[in-house]
Amino acid sequence: MSVLAGRQNDRSATEWPSGRKPASTDREAQMTTSERVGFIGLGGMGRGLVKNLVAKGVAVTAYDLNPVAVAAATSFGATAASGIQEIRENCRIIMICVNEAEDVEALMIARDGLLAGPLPGFIIVDHTTGSPQMVAKLDRMVREAGGRYAEAPMTRTPKHADIGKVNVLFGGEADLLDDLRPYFELYAENIFHIGPLGHAIRLKLIHNYIAFANVAAWCEGFALAAKDGLDLSQLIAIISAAGGKSGMLDLYGQSTLDGDFTPLMSLANARKDVRYYARWLEEAGLPGFMAEAVHQTYRQAALLGHDGESCTAVIKAYEAVTGVAARVTPKDPQPARK
């Protein structure tokens, strides 16, 4: 049993949200039968996490500004919260998965937000891909309120979240991870303890920068191939048979050539992550020629109106310059044999 779980069992009933006290000292039983988790942010990743938590026995109170997202969560069995305060008053563990670090801060400091009063014993789990600067600030804010802040950005896609196979990157103290691991295991295939607080978001930003730089590179190549009339149907196979093969190409290459820009990983989020990375690189005193080039490439696509599409819609910035769409023409169906 973890240190925090041991402390929980020493509490009087009046110290628990809504006067409840766990009925069991067994962590797994407590997790599935007594502990109600609050979840804020029901986008592509958050929706899948909530789905898996509820399906595996955890009571979840969920909140999002988008009523459609809330309806999806309640269809899985989650309870809809009327506002942030309801989650604060009824949940000791509160998970957040929103777009930007600044959004997390807003949830904290709002007049009726998570830090509207002391949070003794509470844990704020931040699954948002934020910035190193904000992770340190949020940790300080939560600790000053008497709670604990868990840095836990994720990798992989909403499809992985839906089937409970995301990767959780945790930065912080081992005993805090021990308390949260039973929950993480309900929706993560891999849980990595990266090191102290702040290390997880740094590694996540490095990963995302490399991934999105890779997307920008092969989108540029696709556009050039289209402009010069190359056979686009052979592109991915040729690239993947040699050193140009990548996970992002495997995930999104064919859908890009097919013209499918469904925002599983949005261009807006890609732009945000590369911006955070470039800022961190500058503050670290390193040159950032490549990072700024990648950031401005995504920013150009955003200015052209593609923020709400897939990160691969960065190709549309190149297509706007070339005047040629890099698409594979569907083959005519073969006539059925008689």
Side-chain angles (χ1 to χ4, degrees), residues 87-130:
I87 288 181
R88 184 184 180 279
E89 292 169 0
N90 293 280
C91 305
R92 180 184 68 92
I93 296 176
I94 302 171
M95 299 181 174
I96 302 174
C97 189
V98 291
N99 287 333
E100 301 191 13
E102 291 76 12
D103 296 330
V104 180
E105 182 183 28
L107 289 169
M108 301 284 192
I109 65 177
R111 187 167 58 87
D112 57 349
L114 295 175
L115 301 185
L119 291 172
F122 280 53
I123 299 175
I124 305 294
V125 181
D126 190 0
H127 280 311
T128 304
T129 300

Side-chain angles (χ1 to χ4, degrees), residues 224-265:
L224 180 59
K227 185 176 187 302
D228 273 15
L230 303 186
D231 183 356
L232 300 185
S233 67
Q234 299 190 63
L235 265 178
I236 294 175
I238 291 171
I239 294 170
S240 296
K245 179 179 174 63
S246 72
M248 294 300 276
L249 185 63
D250 290 344
L251 283 171
Y252 300 118
Q254 190 59 52
S255 61
T256 301
L257 292 177
D258 290 340
D260 180 1
F261 297 100
T262 303
L264 298 178
M265 183 65 67

Side-chain angles (χ1 to χ4, degrees), residues 1 75 116 184 186 196 224 247 287 308:
M1 179 178 293
S75 74
F184 292 162
L186 301 182
L224 180 59

Side-chain angles (χ1 to χ4, degrees), residues 130-155:
S131 67
Q133 301 83 359
M134 285 299 294
V135 162
K137 182 178 181 180
L138 294 170
D139 176 66
R140 182 174 64 254
M141 291 167 60
V142 173
R143 286 182 180 274
E144 287 174 354
R148 302 184 76 184
Y149 172 83
E151 173 201 25
M154 299 174 289
T155 59

